[in-house]
Amino acid sequence: MNTQIKLAKRPKGLPEKENFAFEEGPVPSPESGQVLIQTIYVSVDPYMRGRMEDTKSYVEPFQVGKVIDGGVVGKVVESKSEDIEEGNYVIGHLGWQEYSVAEASTVRVIDKNLAPLSSYLGVLGMPGLTAYFGMTDIGQPKEGETVVVSGAAGAVGMIAGQIAKIHGARVVGLAGTDDKVQYLKDKAGFDEAINYKTTQDLHSALKEACPNGVDVYFDNVGGHISDAVYPLLNDFARIPQCGAISSYNKGGDDTGPRIQTYMVKSRVRLQGFIVSDYAKEFDQGAKHLGTWLSEGKLVYKETINEGFENIPDAFLGLFEGKNIGKQLIKVAEE
Ligand SMILES: NC(=O)c1ccc[n+]([C@@H]2O[C@H](COP(=O)([O-])OP(=O)(O)OC[C@H]3O[C@@H](n4cnc5c(N)ncnc54)[C@H](OP(=O)(O)O)[C@@H]3O)[C@@H](O)[C@H]2O)c1
């Protein structure tokens, strides 16, 4: 049988278990040009929360009653394609289900001897590339500059901060637990890290950690964390606006201190971006990330929950900060 997870109803605020429906159906059969894929790793990502809303965005909303989809690594168990063989491992945009049929042209064969299968959904995949292009193209950190990263212990933030270090910057991370703060300083090479949940006066703590002000603010979270960073921005600072997870479950408009005065006074450039804007350059980005990994300049971390039935929980855990590094679910043995 093929267990699937569908969107049962659209959430209001933080999604709950009742927003997801588990259903069983037969394992599908591939037709000419298609492959049958057994799911091994499922990626859960904050942007999926936006897809649960029925609103226009850069990606189509999930449909109520339909299988939820996202990044998946799996094994080809049956092939009716000349391009992909049975036994190949592939990555693709597939359903939250144990087996998927896909056109061979829509998935990419990956090599488990080159890198662990899970890393193709993390450091070498969408989150790693997001960090790479956001930091190098928009952030453009320079030797001696100060870079602040919010959501710093997550899949994107952890890599973004290390890329800034590779470019010679002083890097300060913001994260939600002491363990994460410790990891960033001890393992990921951040110069300083702050637990934004336990720090009484975040602005003062940041000021102390950034005595020369902030030249690049790689923002994953928005909200009151960003409010504490804006007054510290130096002249000609850059803000790659990667995400705003603090507002994803709020519904309606999120308001806070107005930022325009800081932007004008310090001639700040704030640019939102979507990783797919850089699709034509993905190979080049992945090559850089792979080289830094092999040279030991980049480390990465994954939180891997086991069991298909735990996919919704792992997704919900993103909004409680349960993950460190990339959150994945292992559904079947490699
Ligand atoms: N622009 C793009 O193309 C693109 C691509 C990928 C991701 N993104 C965005 O980048 C951000 C990070 O994504 P990711 O995949 O790397 O996720 P992640 O950081 O691995 O996981 C989410 C983390 O966000 C933090 N968080 C949750 N709720 C929060 C809140 N209310 N305030 C502050 N922090 C909160 C938690 O860490 P703490 O314990 O530190 O709170 C949690 O672990 C998200 O906003 C995502 O939407 C954008």
Side-chain angles (χ1 to χ4, degrees), residues 102-119:
E103 297 295 330
S105 58
T106 64
V107 295
R108 182 165 61 91
V109 175
I110 53 177
D111 187 347
K112 105 182 218 181
N113 297 315
L114 276 184
L117 288 180
S118 55
S119 68

Side-chain angles (χ1 to χ4, degrees), residues 46 130 154-156 175-176 180 196 220 242-243 246 248 273-275 318 321 323:
T130 303
V156 175
K180 292 182 183 187
Y196 73 89
N220 285 308
C242 179
S246 71
Y248 292 175
F273 71 100
I274 304 296
V275 63
L318 293 172
N323 62 306

Side-chain angles (χ1 to χ4, degrees), residues 240-254:
Q241 191 66 52
C242 179
I245 194 168
S246 71
S247 66
Y248 292 175
N249 291 304
K250 283 206 166 139
D253 291 332
D254 191 22

Side-chain angles (χ1 to χ4, degrees), residues 44-47 58 126-127 130 151-157 174-177 180 196-197 219-221 225 241-248 273-276 317-327:
V44 287
D45 298 274
Y47 80 90
Y58 61 93
M126 186 276 278
T130 303
V156 175
L174 294 161
T177 70
K180 292 182 183 187
Y196 73 89
K197 285 188 179 161
D219 189 12
N220 285 308
V221 307
I225 292 175
Q241 191 66 52
C242 179
I245 194 168
S246 71
S247 66
Y248 292 175
F273 71 100
I274 304 296
V275 63
S276 53
L318 293 172
F319 302 101
E320 297 170 52
K322 286 195 174 158
N323 62 306
I324 173 160
K326 177 66 197 144
Q327 177 69 60

Side-chain angles (χ1 to χ4, degrees), residues 207-227:
K207 203 170 170 183
E208 201 175 309
C210 307
N212 299 322
V214 176
D215 301 291
V216 178
Y217 174 40
F218 191 103
D219 189 12
N220 285 308
V221 307
H224 82 276
I225 292 175
S226 299
D227 295 340

Side-chain angles (χ1 to χ4, degrees), residues 117-138:
L117 288 180
S118 55
S119 68
Y120 289 94
L121 289 167
V123 61
L124 293 176
M126 186 276 278
L129 292 167
T130 303
Y132 176 81
F133 289 109
M135 188 56 86
T136 60
D137 188 47
I138 303 171

